[in-house]
Amino acid sequence: MEFELSKKQQELRDNLNQLGRFVIRPMSLQMDREHQVPATFLQQFVSMANSMRSDDDLAAAFGEGKKEPPSLDKPSFTNRTSLIGAEELAWADASVLLCLPGPGLGGPPIRATGTAEQKQKYFGMIHDADKRGELAWGAYGLTEPSAGSDVSGIQSTCRKDGKHWVINGRKCYITNGARALWVVIFASVDLNKGRAGHRAFVVEKGTTGFSVGKIEDKLGLRASETAELVLEDCRVPEENLLGGEDAYLTKSTGFQTAMKTFDATRPLVASMALGIGRAAYEHARDAVKDRYMIGRPIARYHALVERLAKMHRRLEAARMLTYRAAYMADVGQPNAKEASMSKAAAAQAAVKACVEAIEICGAEGTISKEDALLEKWFRDIKVYDIFEGTGQVQRVVISKRIFSDLKSF
Amino acid sequence: MTISFEPTEEQRLMRDTVAQFGAEKLRPRLRETEAARDLAADLRSGLAELGIGALWTPEAHGGAGTSVRTAVLIEEELGFSDAGAAFALPGPNTLAHALVELGDEAQQTKHFAPFAQDPSRVGAVAFSEGRGLARPGFAATAKREGASWILEGEKKFVLNAGRAGTYVVFAQTDEAKGWNGIGAFVVDAAAKGFSVVRRHQTVGLDAAAFGDVKLEGVRVEESDRLAGGDDFDAALRRFFARQSLQVAARAVGVARAGYELARAYADERKAFGKPIAHFQAIAFLIADRLMDVDGARGLVWRAAWTLDGAGSDHWKKKHKGDTELLLRCAESVAEATEVAVRCGDDCIQVHGGAGFVRDFIAEKLFRDAKQMALCTSSATTSDQLFAALALGAPLDPAIVLPVPEIQPVFI
């Protein structure tokens, strides 16, 4: 039972906090309006990350693609450290975090179930591009128009044709989907088989039959690219089947690949939500501070500070759940329930914090300007209770597991 | 060092021992304990044997020498088994926190000694009073008379009133100075002029005795006045922080009991042909309560870790003052007591009509949780303290402490 951050974690947090405060936040609104994070900034960010590469934990926080291939299959940084980095970047601007070059959400499934060759190849592609000074992304294509949280309901199909697989279907809401060098795509060999029929592939950009549909116009996280992907008789080589054909003969199925990914990414998403929630809390706190400190804390401020305190402790309680889920992942304990708990609690606390912060600030809270990003955070946060599984789906996961030892289940 | 959620082997062992005692002895007899409004003699001695009464006593003064982290693990188990029994425990109880934070070494040596000799001895703190006065401060007074103090007045809502052998009594030493003119005095229950005037019938935790005491010319020597080191106000805040954390840990236990009982009942009770746990309205409610319980526990653990570190040189170098310690304890108790009440409430709701009758434990948890939320610096006061610290505002006792003029509580 220890709660002190390591020296590395503190450095990471402090460095990212400085960067966020003085570099990222001042350009946050413009990126939001222009629907993109400037490539020059991302390049600077990457070279800065590379210059710190001697410090494993630190370099790793900027994306695994920036690391040397030999350690690709095993991240050398802990989940706990990643959380701390993610929270700090999200505190600055969550869109920037989503736009960072690297394998993104495509990393965990490859790391969890890819063969040695696949890990080498796909992490290597990003690593090589980086060496050439190019920005490179991976992506994760699971969601479909008719299958969001219910992953088992995907309608994309795949069939073997000689040395190739032929994939057909549509994927939606894919972060960095259009710019990614490769996307992990889920499809079914037999729609009647449900989860057992799922297969995961790595589909490379430029593959025949693989194209980008529309780029979404969103409520928040507007600087982040959210794409629709279309697969029409898309032919991928058989070696792109994640984990290889044999893996699907044993119990490691495509569905499990998707689920394993969530055990690591849900706490990460939770910590991003906490970063935004904390930003909103701090904004409201500072707004109240000026008035509370006049020396005559009128009744309204007594009521307001109670709301502030409540906002804060809900975020902190969710933070404890998030740290716990990451801790469990780090020491190799099964954490599906705890990962979902952290995600559900953090998203809920952070959405609430943003709503409350706006109410506390009054009209001022809804105004968009460079030094007041509250309205942006209010827009950004909502999707945290939706992506990586909605709050409701988290509760399905949690309740299934808490009832699993009871006799009626 | 980094973040870890794993208790040590020793901590697990101690926790499990208490959990077993709770499951075998306390929980099966919780109705008996409540009806008797006291712990049975065998439970009292069994708990004393486990050394639980001395959990918060410093090792140098006969305590178990366990860390605060170990203490909160044990307190949670007590709260889970029977919160009423937890509050009725023999030992110094709240008095320990007062002696640790407000007393000097000599005073601690003197006043902890009787507890080391007799594990069945009980301690108490008389802080609260009835409604607040027109002026800030206590109605009870302490007036100097030579080298002694003479105490007059009535103190209310005292945990262990009537059972305690030693009390720490708070009184006004200088009426003109408001909350800066108060003092704390160690009073023996046998002192002339000291009496217990009533025992309250409370909504929950009725196995513990909550009562009022009267002071009629009680003489206390200057050496028994607890000065709180250099800064009485700061020491008083730390007293409440410690006491709150103990209550918070028990509240997590009550909350967990509410969650567990609701979960078990949802599996047994059938409606529309299936156990109600299979309906999402019920399943999600129970999932939410687990998130509450585990989140609150995390806060309590982190506060305990903070309190464990607070005395060390490393800590003093890193932190100026008590801010972090106070923040952590304030958020813990506010969250834990609120969560306990919610879990008690929802536990009844999941039970439906069965939750309203005393055949089931649900209704007791709800009552205990509500009582507990007023057994220390309440959520209202703790949130005000948190905010004042976060905003860098002055820590006015009338805002950040559970003083009678704002919200009298059971101490």
Side-chain angles (χ1 to χ4, degrees):
Chain A
M1 294 160 72
E2 297 288 341
F3 298 91
E4 182 146 11
L5 302 190
S6 71
K7 218 169 162 221
K8 274 181 186 175
Q9 288 167 341
Q10 288 177 37
E11 276 171 22
L12 173 70
R13 184 194 58 190
D14 297 347
N15 289 344
L16 288 177
N17 186 273
Q18 295 293 306
L19 183 76
R21 192 182 298 273
F22 299 111
V23 180
I24 300 176
R25 278 193 178 181
M27 59 181 189
S28 197
L29 262 190
Q30 191 186 349
M31 294 189 292
D32 192 59
R33 282 193 211 105
E34 294 175 1
H35 295 204
Q36 63 175 335
V37 177
T40 48
F41 168 77
L42 291 176
Q43 253 141 5
Q44 282 165 1
F45 194 97
V46 167
S47 60
M48 187 185 74
N50 285 346
S51 72
M52 297 184 200
R53 193 150 38 165
S54 58
D55 188 335
D56 276 353
D57 249 339
L58 201 55
F62 300 113
E64 298 91 61
K66 309 281 93 63
K67 291 168 51 53
E68 296 298 335
S71 55
L72 286 178
D73 59 328
K74 220 176 174 193
S76 64
F77 60 99
T78 62
N79 281 288
R80 282 162 289 180
T81 305
S82 306
L83 291 196
I84 289 158
E87 175 182 335
E88 224 49 49
L89 268 179
W91 175 85
D93 188 328
S95 288
V96 167
L97 178 51
L98 294 180
C99 285
L100 289 187
L105 286 177
I110 295 184
R111 197 179 305 113
T113 56
T115 63
E117 295 77 26
Q118 288 168 340
K119 287 173 191 169
Q120 190 68 35
K121 179 173 179 193
Y122 296 110
F123 288 121
M125 277 169 75
I126 286 172
H127 178 72
D128 294 345
D130 176 49
K131 267 192 184 160
R132 293 193 300 272
E134 294 164 14
L135 298 171
W137 293 265
Y140 182 71
L142 179 62
T143 301
E144 297 185 1
S146 61
S149 295
D150 179 12
V151 171
S152 65
I154 57 171
Q155 298 296 310
S156 293
T157 59
C158 56
R159 62 182 165 81
K160 193 81 187 279
D161 180 20
K163 295 249 176 233
H164 284 78
W165 285 87
V166 181
I167 309 175
N168 278 288
R170 299 178 92 78
K171 296 287 172 183
C172 62
Y173 311 143
I174 311 304
T175 301
N176 296 323
R179 56 170 72 140
L181 289 184
W182 47 257
V183 186
V184 175
I185 293 280
F186 291 78
S188 174
V189 283
D190 182 349
L191 292 176
N192 296 320
K193 279 191 180 164
R195 293 167 181 185
H198 287 199
R199 298 289 181 270
F201 301 91
V202 186
V203 179
E204 291 177 34
K205 193 176 190 170
T207 305
T208 312
F210 181 50
S211 61
V212 175
K214 81 171 196 223
I215 305 292
E216 302 291 347
D217 187 14
K218 310 187 295 295
L219 168 69
L221 300 179
R222 291 170 69 83
S224 160
E225 175 190 278
T226 306
E228 181 190 30
L229 300 177
V230 183
L231 300 114
E232 287 167 316
D233 288 333
C234 173
R235 294 176 69 82
V236 299
E238 62 179 1
E239 58 268 24
N240 288 26
L241 178 65
L242 209 52
E245 203 118 356
D246 292 348
Y248 295 87
L249 300 175
T250 61
K251 55 181 185 164
S252 177
T253 65
F255 179 75
Q256 278 169 336
T257 305
M259 293 299 119
K260 270 187 196 169
T261 304
F262 289 142
D263 295 347
T265 55
R266 280 176 177 162
L268 204 63
V269 171
S271 68
M272 291 168 65
L274 291 175
I276 301 173
R278 199 185 94 213
Y281 159 77
E282 288 172 2
H283 187 93
R285 179 197 63 194
D286 294 345
V288 168
K289 195 172 187 168
D290 301 335
R291 295 161 174 87
Y292 192 82
M293 294 295 283
I294 289 170
R296 46 174 191 93
I298 53 173
R300 169 167 148 81
Y301 291 99
H302 275 287
L304 287 188
V305 298
E306 248 176 83
R307 288 169 77 170
L308 272 180
K310 208 165 180 167
M311 263 162 86
H312 189 268
R313 67 175 143 94
R314 293 280 154 75
L315 288 169
E316 289 299 306
R319 181 193 308 285
M320 291 299 107
L321 295 178
T322 307
Y323 282 171
R324 180 180 67 171
Y327 167 77
M328 292 173 78
D330 281 335
V331 297
Q333 294 171 3
N335 74 337
K337 179 182 82 187
E338 288 77 9
S340 283
M341 284 170 70
S342 72
K343 164 73 166 61
Q348 188 169 295
V351 169
K352 181 99 176 138
C354 289
V355 173
E356 290 264 317
I358 285 211
E359 283 176 22
I360 286 171
C361 295
E364 196 75 37
T366 64
I367 292 171
S368 187
K369 45 184 182 182
E370 262 66 20
D371 62 343
L373 297 164
L374 187 54
E375 68 83 27
K376 176 178 178 296
W377 299 328
F378 172 77
R379 288 184 288 106
D380 285 348
I381 194 62
K382 184 58 207 167
V383 78
Y384 284 81
D385 204 21
I386 298 172
F387 63 11
E388 291 291 296
T390 62
Q392 290 67 38
V393 155
Q394 307 305 337
R395 285 164 175 85
V396 169
V397 173
I398 299 161
S399 54
K400 269 193 180 149
R401 281 176 164 80
I402 59 186
F403 292 126
S404 63
D405 64 326
L406 296 180
K407 59 181 190 290
S408 79
F409 282 81
Chain B
M1 229 196 284
T2 183
I3 301 154
S4 158
F5 284 79
E6 206 63 47
T8 63
E9 194 58 43
E10 193 193 349
Q11 285 168 337
R12 260 201 296 271
L13 195 71
M14 291 182 72
R15 180 191 62 190
D16 294 349
T17 307
V18 175
Q20 194 185 348
F21 184 87
E24 288 170 4
K25 302 274 169 56
L26 297 179
R27 179 66 77 79
R29 289 166 69 181
L30 117 180
R31 290 296 180 186
E32 176 199 324
T33 304
E34 188 178 36
R37 305 186 74 200
D38 198 356
L39 279 170
D42 62 317
L43 294 180
R44 207 164 257 281
S45 60
L47 285 161
E49 262 169 50
L50 287 172
I52 294 173
L55 212 51
W56 298 80
T57 305
E59 196 173 7
H61 302 297
T66 48
S67 64
V68 179
R69 276 166 284 184
T70 307
V72 297
L73 288 174
I74 291 172
E75 296 286 2
E76 178 183 332
E77 294 308 324
L78 291 173
F80 177 78
S81 308
D82 180 0
F87 278 83
L89 273 177
N93 292 295
T94 45
L95 183 84
H97 306 313
L99 289 176
V100 166
E101 294 298 348
L102 296 160
D104 61 27
E105 196 57 34
Q107 289 168 331
Q108 291 181 23
T109 304
K110 177 182 171 188
H111 296 296
F112 273 125
F115 292 93
Q117 282 156 15
D118 175 11
S120 68
R121 190 181 173 91
V122 174
V125 172
F127 181 88
S128 291
E129 294 181 354
R131 297 234 171 80
L133 306 171
R135 62 163 171 82
F138 292 120
T141 55
K143 293 206 166 72
R144 256 192 197 283
E145 201 180 278
S148 337
W149 293 85
I150 305 297
L151 271 54
E152 293 280 351
E154 197 173 313
K155 305 298 287 184
K156 290 176 83 80
F157 313 132
V158 180
L159 168 63
N160 283 323
R163 289 182 189 158
T166 314
Y167 293 78
V168 166
V169 176
F170 284 83
Q172 199 70 29
T173 51
D174 185 342
E175 289 181 23
K177 284 190 177 166
W179 291 113
N180 294 320
I182 62 171
F185 303 87
V186 184
V187 176
D188 194 280
K192 191 161 170 280
F194 181 89
S195 60
V196 176
V197 286
R198 68 182 68 82
R199 180 179 175 182
H200 298 288
Q201 178 108 37
T202 50
V203 68
L205 306 176
D206 207 24
F210 294 100
D212 304 341
V213 299
K214 200 163 187 179
L215 305 142
E216 292 167 300
V218 175
R219 181 177 294 272
V220 180
E221 296 312 311
E222 170 64 22
S223 62
D224 285 338
R225 186 170 71 94
L226 306 178
D230 308 334
D231 187 342
F232 186 83
D233 271 7
L236 186 58
R237 286 192 293 269
R238 286 196 305 272
F239 159 73
F240 278 110
R242 255 174 200 279
Q243 204 248 346
S244 308
L245 186 61
Q246 184 183 21
V247 174
R250 289 175 182 172
V252 171
V254 173
R256 193 181 104 213
Y259 157 75
E260 284 287 354
L261 292 175
R263 186 183 80 109
Y265 190 76
D267 184 47
E268 270 168 35
R269 173 70 185 182
K270 287 197 175 72
F272 305 102
K274 54 185 178 181
I276 58 174
H278 293 259
F279 295 99
Q280 286 186 336
I282 301 292
F284 285 12
L285 187 76
I286 294 173
D288 280 340
R289 294 300 74 82
L290 180 61
M291 280 152 41
D292 281 349
V293 174
D294 286 6
R297 183 189 295 115
L299 294 181
V300 167
W301 284 14
R302 187 169 62 172
W305 169 79
T306 310
L307 202 50
D308 271 335
S312 73
D313 292 341
H314 167 70
W315 173 271
K316 283 177 188 150
K317 227 166 78 184
K318 200 174 150 201
H319 301 269
K320 289 195 194 91
D322 299 326
T323 304
E324 183 156 351
L325 171 67
L326 298 176
L327 284 175
R328 296 291 176 233
C329 290
E331 71 185 2
S332 298
V333 74
E335 186 67 11
T337 51
E338 229 176 63
V339 159
V341 172
R342 214 179 302 143
C343 286
D345 186 1
D346 282 351
C347 184
I348 294 182
Q349 196 65 25
V350 168
H351 280 70
F356 203 69
V357 300
R358 298 205 171 192
D359 296 346
F360 292 85
I361 299 173
E363 64 81 28
K364 181 170 185 299
L365 294 176
F366 184 49
R367 288 187 289 113
D368 285 351
K370 193 64 222 176
Q371 181 80 26
M372 212 180 280
L374 286 170
C375 271
T376 180
S377 185
S378 68
T380 311
T381 313
S382 300
D383 282 345
Q384 289 291 342
L385 171 61
F386 176 90
L389 289 163
L391 297 171
L395 302 180
D396 179 355
I399 295 172
V400 304
L401 293 181
V403 296
E405 68 196 59
I406 299 298
Q407 187 183 37
V409 292
F410 295 91
I411 304 286

